[in-house]
Coordinates of all heavy atoms in Angstrom, one line a residue:
I170 N 132.3 54.0 121.6 CA 132.7 54.7 122.8 C 134.2 54.9 122.7 O 134.7 56.0 123.1 CB 132.4 53.8 124.0 CG1 130.9 53.9 124.3 CG2 133.2 54.2 125.3 CD1 130.4 52.9 125.4
A171 N 135.0 53.9 122.3 CA 136.4 54.1 122.2 C 136.8 55.2 121.2 O 137.7 56.0 121.5 CB 137.1 52.8 121.7
L172 N 136.2 55.3 120.1 CA 136.5 56.3 119.1 C 136.0 57.7 119.7 O 136.7 58.7 119.4 CB 135.8 56.1 117.8 CG 136.4 54.9 117.0 CD1 135.5 54.6 115.8 CD2 137.8 55.2 116.5
S173 N 134.9 57.7 120.4 CA 134.4 59.0 120.9 C 135.4 59.5 122.0 O 135.7 60.7 122.1 CB 133.0 58.8 121.5 OG 132.1 58.5 120.4
K174 N 135.8 58.6 122.9 CA 136.8 59.0 123.9 C 138.1 59.5 123.3 O 138.7 60.5 123.7 CB 137.1 57.8 124.8 CG 135.9 57.5 125.8 CD 136.1 56.2 126.5 CE 137.4 56.2 127.4 NZ 137.5 54.9 128.1
Q175 N 138.5 58.8 122.2 CA 139.8 59.2 121.5 C 139.6 60.6 120.9 O 140.5 61.5 121.0 CB 140.1 58.2 120.4 CG 141.3 58.6 119.5 CD 141.6 57.5 118.5 OE1 142.3 56.6 118.8 NE2 141.0 57.7 117.3
A176 N 138.5 60.9 120.3 CA 138.3 62.2 119.7 C 138.2 63.3 120.8 O 138.7 64.4 120.6 CB 137.0 62.2 118.8
E177 N 137.5 63.0 121.9 CA 137.4 64.0 122.9 C 138.8 64.3 123.5 O 139.1 65.5 123.7 CB 136.5 63.5 124.0 CG 136.3 64.5 125.2 CD 135.3 64.0 126.2 OE1 135.3 62.8 126.5 OE2 134.6 64.8 126.7
Q178 N 139.6 63.3 123.7 CA 141.0 63.5 124.2 C 141.9 64.3 123.2 O 142.7 65.0 123.6 CB 141.6 62.2 124.6 CG 140.9 61.5 125.8 CD 141.2 60.0 125.9 OE1 142.0 59.4 125.2 NE2 140.6 59.4 126.9
A179 N 141.6 64.1 121.9 CA 142.4 64.8 120.9 C 142.0 66.2 120.8 O 142.8 67.0 120.2 CB 142.2 64.1 119.5
G180 N 140.9 66.6 121.3 CA 140.5 68.0 121.3 C 139.4 68.4 120.4 O 139.2 69.6 120.1
A181 N 138.6 67.4 119.9 CA 137.5 67.8 119.1 C 136.5 68.6 119.9 O 136.3 68.4 121.1 CB 136.8 66.5 118.6
D182 N 135.8 69.5 119.2 CA 134.8 70.4 119.9 C 133.5 69.6 120.0 O 132.7 70.0 120.9 CB 134.6 71.6 119.1 CG 135.9 72.5 119.1 OD1 136.4 72.8 120.2 OD2 136.4 72.8 118.0
A183 N 133.2 68.7 119.1 CA 131.9 67.9 119.2 C 132.1 66.6 118.4 O 133.1 66.4 117.7 CB 130.8 68.7 118.6
L184 N 131.2 65.7 118.6 CA 131.2 64.4 118.0 C 130.0 64.3 117.1 O 128.9 64.8 117.4 CB 131.2 63.3 119.0 CG 132.3 63.3 120.1 CD1 132.0 62.3 121.2 CD2 133.6 63.1 119.5
S185 N 130.2 63.6 116.0 CA 129.0 63.2 115.2 C 129.0 61.6 115.1 O 130.0 61.0 114.7 CB 129.2 63.7 113.8 OG 128.1 63.3 112.9
I186 N 127.9 61.0 115.5 CA 127.9 59.6 115.7 C 126.8 59.0 114.8 O 125.6 59.2 115.1 CB 127.7 59.2 117.2 CG1 128.8 59.8 118.0 CG2 127.7 57.7 117.3 CD1 128.6 59.7 119.5
V187 N 127.2 58.3 113.7 CA 126.3 57.7 112.8 C 125.6 56.5 113.5 O 126.2 55.9 114.3 CB 127.0 57.4 111.5 CG1 127.9 56.2 111.7 CG2 126.0 57.1 110.4
T188 N 124.4 56.2 113.1 CA 123.8 55.0 113.6 C 124.6 53.8 113.2 O 125.2 53.8 112.1 CB 122.4 54.9 113.0 OG1 122.5 54.9 111.5 CG2 121.5 56.0 113.4
P189 N 124.6 52.7 113.9 CA 125.3 51.5 113.5 C 124.8 51.1 112.1 O 123.6 51.2 111.8 CB 124.9 50.5 114.6 CG 124.6 51.4 115.8 CD 124.0 52.6 115.3
Y190 N 125.8 50.6 111.4 CA 125.5 50.1 110.0 C 125.7 48.6 109.9 O 126.3 48.0 110.8 CB 126.3 50.9 109.0 CG 127.8 51.1 109.5 CD1 128.8 50.2 109.1 CD2 128.1 52.2 110.3 CE1 130.1 50.4 109.6 CE2 129.4 52.4 110.7 CZ 130.4 51.5 110.4 OH 131.6 51.7 110.8
Y191 N 125.2 48.0 108.8 CA 125.3 46.6 108.6 C 124.3 45.8 109.4 O 123.6 44.9 108.9 CB 126.7 46.0 108.8 CG 126.9 44.6 108.2 CD1 127.0 44.4 106.9 CD2 126.9 43.5 109.0 CE1 127.2 43.2 106.3 CE2 127.0 42.2 108.5 CZ 127.2 42.1 107.2 OH 127.3 40.8 106.6
I192 N 124.0 46.2 110.6 CA 123.0 45.7 111.4 C 121.8 46.6 111.4 O 121.9 47.7 111.0 CB 123.5 45.4 112.9 CG1 124.0 46.7 113.5 CG2 124.5 44.3 112.9 CD1 124.4 46.5 115.0
S193 N 120.7 46.2 112.0 CA 119.4 47.0 112.0 C 118.9 47.1 113.4 O 117.9 46.4 113.7 CB 118.4 46.4 111.0 OG 118.9 46.4 109.7
P194 N 119.5 47.9 114.3 CA 119.0 48.0 115.6 C 117.6 48.7 115.7 O 117.2 49.5 114.8 CB 120.0 48.9 116.3 CG 120.7 49.6 115.2 CD 120.7 48.7 114.0
S195 N 116.8 48.3 116.7 CA 115.5 48.9 117.0 C 115.7 50.3 117.5 O 116.8 50.7 117.9 CB 114.8 48.0 118.0 OG 115.4 48.1 119.2
Q196 N 114.6 51.0 117.7 CA 114.7 52.3 118.3 C 115.2 52.3 119.7 O 116.0 53.1 120.2 CB 113.4 53.1 118.2 CG 113.0 53.4 116.7 CD 114.0 54.3 116.1 OE1 114.4 55.4 116.6 NE2 114.5 53.9 114.9
D197 N 114.7 51.3 120.5 CA 115.2 51.1 121.9 C 116.7 50.8 121.9 O 117.4 51.3 122.8 CB 114.4 50.0 122.6 CG 113.0 50.4 123.0 OD1 112.8 51.6 123.0 OD2 112.2 49.5 123.2
E198 N 117.2 50.0 120.9 CA 118.6 49.7 120.9 C 119.4 51.0 120.5 O 120.5 51.2 121.0 CB 118.8 48.6 119.9 CG 118.4 47.2 120.5 CD 118.2 46.1 119.5 OE1 118.1 46.4 118.2 OE2 118.3 44.9 119.9
L199 N 118.8 51.8 119.6 CA 119.5 53.0 119.2 C 119.6 54.0 120.4 O 120.7 54.6 120.7 CB 118.8 53.7 118.1 CG 119.0 53.1 116.7 CD1 118.1 53.9 115.7 CD2 120.4 53.2 116.2
Y200 N 118.5 54.1 121.2 CA 118.5 54.9 122.4 C 119.7 54.4 123.3 O 120.5 55.2 123.8 CB 117.2 54.9 123.1 CG 117.2 55.7 124.4 CD1 117.0 57.0 124.4 CD2 117.6 55.0 125.6 CE1 117.0 57.7 125.6 CE2 117.7 55.7 126.7 CZ 117.5 57.1 126.8 OH 117.6 57.8 127.9
A201 N 119.7 53.1 123.6 CA 120.7 52.6 124.5 C 122.1 52.8 124.0 O 123.1 53.1 124.7 CB 120.5 51.1 124.7
H202 N 122.3 52.7 122.7 CA 123.6 53.0 122.0 C 124.1 54.4 122.3 O 125.2 54.6 122.8 CB 123.5 52.7 120.5 CG 124.7 53.0 119.7 ND1 125.8 52.2 119.8 CD2 125.0 54.0 118.8 CE1 126.7 52.7 118.9 NE2 126.2 53.7 118.3
Y203 N 123.2 55.4 122.0 CA 123.6 56.8 122.1 C 123.7 57.1 123.6 O 124.6 57.9 124.0 CB 122.7 57.7 121.4 CG 122.9 57.7 119.9 CD1 122.1 57.0 119.1 CD2 123.9 58.5 119.4 CE1 122.3 57.0 117.7 CE2 124.1 58.5 118.0 CZ 123.3 57.8 117.2 OH 123.5 57.8 115.8
A204 N 122.9 56.6 124.4 CA 122.9 56.9 125.9 C 124.3 56.4 126.5 O 124.9 57.1 127.3 CB 121.7 56.2 126.6
A205 N 124.7 55.2 126.1 CA 126.0 54.6 126.6 C 127.1 55.5 126.2 O 128.1 55.7 127.0 CB 126.2 53.2 126.1
I206 N 127.1 56.1 125.0 CA 128.2 57.0 124.6 C 128.1 58.3 125.4 O 129.1 58.8 125.9 CB 128.2 57.2 123.1 CG1 128.3 55.9 122.3 CG2 129.2 58.2 122.7 CD1 127.9 56.0 120.8
A207 N 126.9 58.8 125.5 CA 126.7 60.1 126.2 C 127.1 60.0 127.6 O 127.5 61.1 128.2 CB 125.3 60.6 126.0
E208 N 127.0 58.9 128.2 CA 127.4 58.7 129.6 C 128.9 58.7 129.8 O 129.4 58.9 130.9 CB 126.8 57.4 130.2 CG 125.3 57.5 130.4 CD 124.7 56.1 130.7 OE1 125.4 55.1 130.6 OE2 123.5 56.1 131.0
I209 N 129.7 58.5 128.7 CA 131.1 58.5 128.8 C 131.8 59.8 128.5 O 132.8 60.2 129.1 CB 131.6 57.3 127.9 CG1 131.1 56.0 128.4 CG2 133.2 57.3 127.9 CD1 131.6 55.5 129.8
V210 N 131.3 60.4 127.4 CA 132.0 61.7 126.9 C 131.2 62.9 127.4 O 130.0 62.8 127.7 CB 132.1 61.7 125.4 CG1 133.0 60.5 124.9 CG2 130.8 61.6 124.7
T211 N 131.8 64.0 127.4 CA 131.2 65.2 128.0 C 131.0 66.3 126.9 O 130.3 67.3 127.1 CB 132.0 65.8 129.1 OG1 133.3 66.2 128.7 CG2 132.1 64.8 130.3
I212 N 131.7 66.2 125.8 CA 131.6 67.2 124.7 C 130.3 67.0 124.0 O 129.6 66.0 124.0 CB 132.8 67.2 123.8 CG1 132.9 65.9 123.1 CG2 134.0 67.6 124.5 CD1 134.1 65.9 122.0
P213 N 129.8 68.1 123.2 CA 128.5 68.0 122.5 C 128.5 66.8 121.5 O 129.6 66.5 120.9 CB 128.4 69.3 121.8 CG 129.2 70.3 122.7 CD 130.4 69.5 123.2
I214 N 127.4 66.3 121.3 CA 127.2 65.1 120.4 C 126.1 65.5 119.4 O 125.0 66.0 119.8 CB 126.7 63.9 121.2 CG1 127.9 63.4 122.1 CG2 126.3 62.8 120.2 CD1 127.5 62.2 123.0
L215 N 126.4 65.2 118.1 CA 125.4 65.3 117.1 C 125.1 63.8 116.7 O 126.0 63.1 116.3 CB 125.8 66.0 115.9 CG 126.1 67.6 116.0 CD1 126.7 68.1 114.8 CD2 124.8 68.3 116.3
A216 N 123.9 63.4 116.8 CA 123.5 62.1 116.2 C 123.6 62.2 114.6 O 123.6 63.4 114.1 CB 122.2 61.6 116.6
Y217 N 123.7 61.1 113.9 CA 123.8 61.2 112.5 C 123.0 60.1 111.9 O 123.2 58.9 112.1 CB 125.3 61.0 112.1 CG 125.7 61.0 110.7 CD1 124.8 61.4 109.7 CD2 127.0 60.7 110.3 CE1 125.1 61.4 108.3 CE2 127.3 60.7 108.9 CZ 126.4 61.1 108.0 OH 126.8 61.1 106.7

Side-chain angles (χ1 to χ4, degrees):
I170 287 173
L172 290 171
S173 297
K174 288 170 61 178
Q175 175 177 272
E177 182 176 39
Q178 291 163 3
D182 295 302
L184 305 172
S185 175
I186 303 172
V187 71
T188 58
Y190 41 94
Y191 193 76
I192 55 176
S193 299
S195 69
Q196 293 299 309
D197 284 343
E198 288 164 337
L199 285 175
Y200 176 89
H202 175 72
Y203 283 100
I206 300 166
E208 288 167 354
I209 297 294
V210 298
T211 61
I212 59 176
I214 294 171
L215 294 173
Y217 179 10

